[in-house]
Amino acid sequence: MNQSEFLKTISKERPVASVSNKEILDKIQTEAVQMGWDVISKPFDCTKWEKGRSFIDIGNHSYEIFPSPFSKSYKGNGDIIVIRSLEELESFNINEKVVFLKDNIAKEPMQPKIFPFYYPDEHKHIIDLLEEKKPKAVIAVTGKHAMCGLDPFPMFEDGNLSIPSAFINESTANNILRENGTVNLNIDSNNSNEKSRQIIATRKAKDKAAGKIIVCAHMDTKYGTPGAIDNAAGVVILLKIMDMLKTYECIYDIDIIPFNGEEYYEVKGQLEYLDYIKDDFDAIKLVINIDSPCHKDSKTAVSTYNVGEKLSATLCSEMEKNSNIVIGDQWYAGDHAVFAFRGTPCIAVTSSNLFESVLQITHTQRDTVDQISDDMINQTAEFLTGLVKSVAEY
């Protein structure tokens, strides 16, 4: 594998069910098979999203708006009502209105309504109220996302939400709200049923396995981003680890997983893998999740979850071999979280400047290969390979 060329090849918009997503799944599988790994493919049903020009016309002006990913489409007229708080949403009649959500009620994105791992009560209450009260559509007035570079951000990203939705920034909202009269609203957003799959590259222990080690990195992106750091760099590290472990005889089964769905509202790939290992979940000895690593101005940061003294000592010993591998803060917005919340020992791997710099470019067009350090990819892959081997030897 030519590392630089492969990174460039996969650093393009690749949401679940897209043509590029399918092409990259095939490339990863081909590389894995050529290295001698067994590859399991788990198909799943999913939704592909396409959008067109969306707008609000009012008075003599037309304003561009952004359809929420996976929104239902809408075309029609309606009167605006502004909702600024949960209390207003509870008490106001919004039936058949075009609802503008702004200020406190639009301060953060909502979790999808049937998200399997985390669905806060407040989010459920907001979504339940909206669906019960049946507005024509919802326009969220948002700003800078706290956990990525989007500004404005979609408040809703949910193919199961029954209400058409879009989002705009504060300035656009203020211009619209100064006008008087009925708005003409067009949300051009279309969903179609598709098939995709989750692949698992696996190597079985030579004899009866002492357990399972999982190394994972999501391979999909949001719509509208090349996803170089988030998370093409992580996929390249996965492949390098596979190459370095291809002849290693381990007492553990090893699963290498390019998760296909971390950026998708129903996390279908993750659910397929959890179903695949449901009878062996207790056999998992360690999960290593790689997400948004190797920014050009960073070191590699590792954080630990449910890690005992022995594993902690092994990790420290491996880190001492490379000063560019450092301890970082815990974070839970990644694929390790589902394992960590169940008590499984986990290590999350990311850029050391994740919160200061990397999150400002993720999910945007700025997430390109020029943000990545090839040298840190090599160093991180070597460190993680050494860690897997050290864990397997005690």
Side-chain angles (χ1 to χ4, degrees):
M1 178 185 72
N2 182 308
Q3 176 176 310
S4 296
E5 287 303 313
F6 193 84
L7 180 62
K8 291 177 183 176
T9 297
I10 67 174
S11 292
K12 57 184 176 182
E13 181 182 274
R14 51 190 187 277
V16 171
S18 65
V19 171
S20 56
N21 182 277
K22 295 174 183 178
E23 290 173 347
I24 292 166
L25 278 170
D26 291 342
K27 289 179 185 295
I28 295 170
Q29 179 168 344
T30 298
E31 292 285 340
V33 170
Q34 288 176 349
M35 294 178 198
W37 289 72
D38 295 324
V39 176
I40 298 162
S41 183
K42 304 287 289 182
F44 57 80
D45 296 323
C46 56
T47 301
K48 181 181 178 181
W49 178 59
E50 294 179 305
K51 65 175 180 176
R53 179 177 176 267
S54 299
F55 56 87
I56 285 178
D57 290 341
I58 184 169
N60 295 319
H61 298 97
S62 184
Y63 299 93
E64 181 183 13
I65 62 175
F66 308 105
S68 301
F70 305 102
S71 171
K72 304 293 188 288
S73 63
Y74 180 83
K75 187 174 184 179
N77 300 321
D79 295 326
I80 291 174
I81 185 171
V82 178
I83 300 292
R84 294 180 170 84
S85 68
L86 178 57
E87 292 74 23
E88 289 184 352
L89 181 59
E90 290 172 333
S91 60
F92 287 10
N93 179 11
I94 61 172
N95 182 248
E96 293 297 302
K97 304 288 188 182
V98 175
V99 176
F100 274 51
L101 298 176
K102 67 191 305 284
D103 300 338
N104 187 60
I105 200 169
K107 65 182 183 298
E108 63 185 14
M110 298 288 102
Q111 285 293 102
K113 59 188 289 187
I114 59 171
F115 193 72
F117 306 135
Y118 175 65
Y119 191 23
D121 289 341
E122 183 180 5
H123 293 195
K124 183 179 186 304
H125 188 41
I126 290 171
I127 290 170
D128 285 349
L129 284 169
L130 287 170
E131 293 193 319
E132 288 168 9
K133 295 193 171 194
K134 294 181 170 35
K136 288 184 174 180
V138 172
I139 311 297
V141 183
T142 64
K144 171 69 174 63
H145 195 297
M147 291 297 291
C148 72
L150 289 176
D151 185 5
F153 63 83
M155 185 174 172
F156 304 97
E157 187 168 340
D158 186 359
N160 295 305
L161 186 67
S162 63
I163 302 166
S165 67
F167 61 103
I168 54 177
N169 60 28
E170 185 78 28
S171 175
T172 302
N174 289 339
N175 288 335
I176 294 170
L177 295 174
R178 286 193 196 100
E179 305 273 0
N180 292 314
T182 299
V183 298
N184 175 40
L185 172 63
N186 188 321
I187 299 176
D188 189 349
S189 176
N190 298 284
N191 297 323
S192 58
N193 296 326
E194 293 285 344
K195 300 279 188 181
S196 191
R197 61 196 180 106
Q198 176 61 56
I199 60 175
I200 305 155
T202 186
R203 282 180 62 86
K204 299 298 183 183
K206 184 176 181 181
D207 300 312
K208 181 176 173 58
K212 183 185 290 290
I213 295 174
I214 296 170
V215 187
C216 58
H218 78 86
M219 54 79 59
D220 62 315
T221 67
K222 295 289 190 185
Y223 286 89
T225 176
I229 290 180
D230 186 20
N231 188 34
V235 173
V236 173
I237 291 171
L238 272 193
L239 290 169
K240 291 184 71 67
I241 293 171
M242 291 169 64
D243 190 42
M244 287 185 276
L245 290 175
K246 65 185 178 184
T247 60
Y248 181 65
E249 293 189 0
C250 185
I251 64 171
Y252 294 106
D253 293 339
I254 301 176
D255 285 352
I256 306 286
I257 312 163
F259 273 127
N260 191 21
E262 198 262 0
E263 305 287 15
Y264 180 68
Y265 67 95
E266 288 185 324
V267 288
K268 284 291 188 74
Q270 286 79 343
L271 292 177
E272 285 296 326
Y273 182 70
L274 290 175
D275 181 68
Y276 169 74
I277 61 163
K278 62 185 177 183
D279 295 332
D280 298 317
F281 198 92
D282 292 341
I284 301 171
K285 302 302 180 184
L286 175 63
V287 174
I288 299 171
N289 179 42
I290 310 159
D291 196 344
S292 302
C294 304
H295 185 263
K296 62 183 180 180
D297 298 325
S298 80
K299 297 183 178 183
T300 288
V302 296
S303 53
T304 61
Y305 314 76
N306 310 315
V307 169
E309 291 183 7
K310 194 170 185 178
L311 180 53
S312 181
T314 301
L315 175 62
C316 289
S317 177
E318 289 299 319
M319 290 178 63
E320 287 174 358
K321 300 175 184 179
N322 190 333
S323 62
N324 284 324
I325 312 296
V326 299
I327 291 292
D329 294 332
Q330 289 186 333
W331 51 281
Y332 289 90
D335 287 321
H336 56 285
V338 64
F339 298 96
F341 289 152
R342 297 188 185 193
T344 304
C346 296
I347 294 172
V349 180
T350 191
S351 299
S352 61
N353 60 353
L354 175 69
F355 299 102
E356 297 82 6
S357 300
V358 171
L359 290 180
Q360 307 310 310
I361 65 172
T362 56
H363 299 180
T364 73
Q365 288 287 348
R366 302 190 303 278
D367 186 3
T368 51
V369 291
D370 61 329
Q371 300 286 342
I372 295 173
S373 165
D374 280 342
D375 184 52
M376 282 309 304
I377 286 178
N378 292 327
Q379 292 187 50
T380 303
E382 290 171 2
F383 159 70
L384 292 175
T385 303
L387 178 61
V388 169
K389 289 181 177 181
S390 293
V391 170
E393 289 169 2
Y394 66 71

